[in-house]
Amino acid sequence: MGDKTVTVSVRGMLLAAVVLLALLRAYLVGNAGGAGTPAQAAAPAATDTHRRTLTMAGTGEATTVPDQLAFDLEVGLMRPDLETALSDASGVMDRVLASLEDLGVAKGDVQTTGLSMYPVYDYHQYSPPTIRGYRVSQRASVLVEELKQGGRAVSTAVDAGGNAVRVSNIRLRVGDPDAAMKKARDAAVAEARTKAEQYAAAAGQDLGKVVTLREVSAPRPTAVHGYAVQRGALDTVAGKALPIRTGKDTMKVTVRVVWELG
């Protein structure tokens, strides 16, 4: 009787333990599944980050009047031997540059741009070619910072160098193009803002801060006019200033600006 009672008690304890484990597992699984629901419910809703903007373009202009003149200068001659050709060409160039310096052209405004020398041959029908001499050319660019002296500088160079001198690529320049570009940029931004404010007001909106500003086009010429003068034309003005007409030029700048709408 005692052994039977002990056996029943052990079986009861084992059954109770199995039931308890089953209940504990069910409890843990339930809590794990339930924890996901509140977390999902607490996730913040996505917000709309798209900004309302207004894009407008503006164009500004600035009128420029050339105040400088530049030209290319070449001294070219031929002599029987190379040493004489080099010496004579250098002498002519020195004489021309000295005359320009006397006129007020600074040494720093004259830049050597090239030197070439080559033999000149005579060709014969039944015999090898023979050397006639050597041709030497020296080239320089000249800037006259005061336009009123520009025509006189060209004529002076021709007078000083004679037939050995060639003047070409005469061009008018604006000494300070940055000043004109600043005016054009200011005008372009002002025009864009004026139009943007008008459109924003018509739509019942307030114009906010600038998001982006981009320069769409901005030509930046260093020489606003250019022309070449043939040797014969220079001969006609020897001893007097070459007539120069400046005219005007317009610099344009276009910008595109994006504003926030308040």
Side-chain angles (χ1 to χ4, degrees):
M1 185 68 177
D3 293 340
K4 186 176 182 180
T5 302
V6 171
T7 301
V8 172
S9 299
V10 171
R11 287 180 179 177
M13 291 176 64
L14 291 174
L15 181 60
V18 171
V19 173
L20 181 61
L21 288 174
L23 291 175
L24 179 61
R25 181 180 179 184
Y27 174 76
L28 292 176
V29 172
N31 283 345
T37 303
Q40 293 176 358
T47 58
D48 184 12
T49 58
H50 180 69
R51 292 180 298 183
R52 294 179 303 166
T53 60
L54 174 65
T55 303
M56 193 60 57
T59 300
E61 298 182 357
T63 301
T64 59
V65 178
D67 55 359
Q68 296 179 346
L69 183 139
F71 59 91
D72 294 337
L73 181 68
E74 180 179 357
V75 172
L77 46 79
M78 188 181 71
R79 295 292 185 266
D81 61 272
L82 180 58
E83 184 178 355
T84 303
L86 282 170
S87 177
D88 289 354
S90 297
V92 174
M93 180 64 81
D94 289 342
R95 188 165 66 248
V96 171
L97 298 183
S99 67
L100 291 175
E101 187 175 350
D102 292 340
L103 194 65
V105 177
K107 289 184 178 181
D109 291 333
V110 178
Q111 181 180 13
T112 299
T113 57
L115 169 65
S116 62
M117 42 191 171
Y118 53 90
V120 179
Y121 291 92
D122 285 331
Y123 294 91
H124 311 285
Q125 187 173 3
Y126 299 108
S127 60
T130 56
I131 293 180
R132 181 195 307 176
Y134 292 86
R135 177 170 293 279
V136 172
S137 295
Q138 295 185 14
R139 294 175 293 278
S141 62
V142 180
L143 173 65
V144 184
E145 293 188 352
E146 294 186 19
L147 183 60
K148 63 182 181 181
Q149 295 288 353
R152 177 66 65 184
V154 173
S155 300
T156 297
V158 173
D159 291 342
N163 292 330
V165 170
R166 300 291 184 272
V167 174
S168 63
N169 196 21
I170 299 175
R171 53 205 182 273
L172 301 176
R173 296 171 55 98
V174 176
D176 187 11
D178 288 337
M181 291 296 294
K182 183 179 183 304
K183 292 181 181 179
R185 289 186 177 110
D186 290 343
V189 174
E191 180 184 90
R193 176 174 288 278
T194 298
K195 292 192 295 184
E197 289 175 345
Q198 180 180 356
Y199 279 108
Q205 302 291 324
D206 293 328
L207 198 64
K209 65 181 181 179
V210 174
V211 178
T212 61
L213 190 155
R214 184 165 64 93
E215 195 171 86
V216 179
S217 64
R220 186 183 178 82
T222 56
V224 296
H225 299 282
Y227 55 94
V229 179
Q230 299 297 326
R231 173 62 183 162
L234 290 175
D235 289 339
T236 64
V237 300
K240 57 184 178 181
L242 178 72
I244 301 293
R245 294 184 177 89
T246 60
K248 297 180 180 180
D249 192 58
T250 301
M251 301 178 106
K252 291 185 178 181
V253 176
T254 301
V255 298
R256 180 171 288 112
V257 189
V258 180
W259 282 273
E260 283 187 347
L261 286 177

